[in-house]
Amino acid sequence: MKVKSIWIIPLLFVFFIPNVIGASSIKSKSPELETGFDTHITNNSLAVSPDGQIAIVSDSREQSILVYDLTKGKLRKKIDGFGSPRNIVFIDGGSEFVVSDSTLGTIRFYSLKNFTLKDEVVVGQGAFGTAVSPDGKTLYVNNQAYNSVTVVDLKKRKPIDVITGFAQPRQGIKVSSD
């Protein structure tokens, strides 16, 4: 009996554990998205609602985002359909959230009330980091593929300007308070 248990532990590490670790990224990728311009870049994002009750999480290797209820400590919803979700930001006083997707080149607007898709704006492949202006009227989207920042009117839900002259901007965008 002692000899059998000694062999079982190494077998777990050789056969079982590597399959479990790699399973989530292998199963969720669709072939057409694996060849996107930025699929080799990985990042995670976390945004907590202004009231501290909801957390939205993304892992760019997964084609979904996860919505957690922080008051109950449980998963509320998994939202599929992304290429590589990058950044998440709350808007409109926390009633909505926006997710950038660099592979699909979109920003998607979701209702916090029922977690449904409200709108989608195309800003071009490479859409990574996002920041909201202090007045809540404008969203700035870093675009790595085009070395630019796209300026989006949040009320009209459309791009209104593109600022060029950057070197592959990704995450880390912030708007000053003035």
Side-chain angles (χ1 to χ4, degrees), residues 78-89:
K78 178 180 178 182
I79 302 172
D80 295 313
F82 292 91
S84 49
R86 297 296 182 177
N87 198 52
I88 305 156
V89 64

Side-chain angles (χ1 to χ4, degrees), residues 37-137:
F37 99 99
D38 65 350
T39 54
H40 64 286
I41 301 169
T42 59
N43 74 293
N44 302 317
S45 186
L46 165 70
V48 176
S49 62
D51 64 7
Q53 294 184 11
I54 299 291
I56 317 247
V57 181
S58 72
D59 177 342
S60 63
R61 297 168 295 183
E62 300 296 325
Q63 295 170 339
S64 60
I65 59 172
L66 303 174
V67 179
Y68 288 94
D69 184 325
L70 296 176
T71 60
K72 297 179 181 175
K74 70 176 201 168
L75 178 66
R76 290 266 313 262
K77 185 164 187 164
K78 178 180 178 182
I79 302 172
D80 295 313
F82 292 91
S84 49
R86 297 296 182 177
N87 198 52
I88 305 156
V89 64
F90 284 89
I91 62 169
D92 198 21
S95 67
E96 295 180 321
F97 61 94
V98 179
V99 182
S100 63
D101 188 318
S102 61
T103 298
L104 299 178
T106 62
I107 52 173
R108 292 182 178 172
F109 295 78
Y110 288 89
S111 166
L112 191 62
K113 185 176 182 177
N114 54 15
F115 311 115
T116 56
L117 180 65
K118 293 181 75 174
D119 207 351
E120 182 173 48
V121 175
V122 175
V123 293
Q125 282 190 327
F128 269 81
T130 56
V132 179
S133 64
D135 64 6
K137 295 179 181 179

Side-chain angles (χ1 to χ4, degrees), residues 141-162:
V141 184
N142 284 349
N143 192 307
Q144 181 195 9
Y146 297 101
N147 298 321
S148 64
V149 173
T150 302
V151 182
V152 177
D153 181 315
L154 287 174
K155 185 175 182 176
K156 295 179 182 175
R157 304 266 168 101
K158 70 178 201 172
I160 55 172
D161 199 5
V162 176

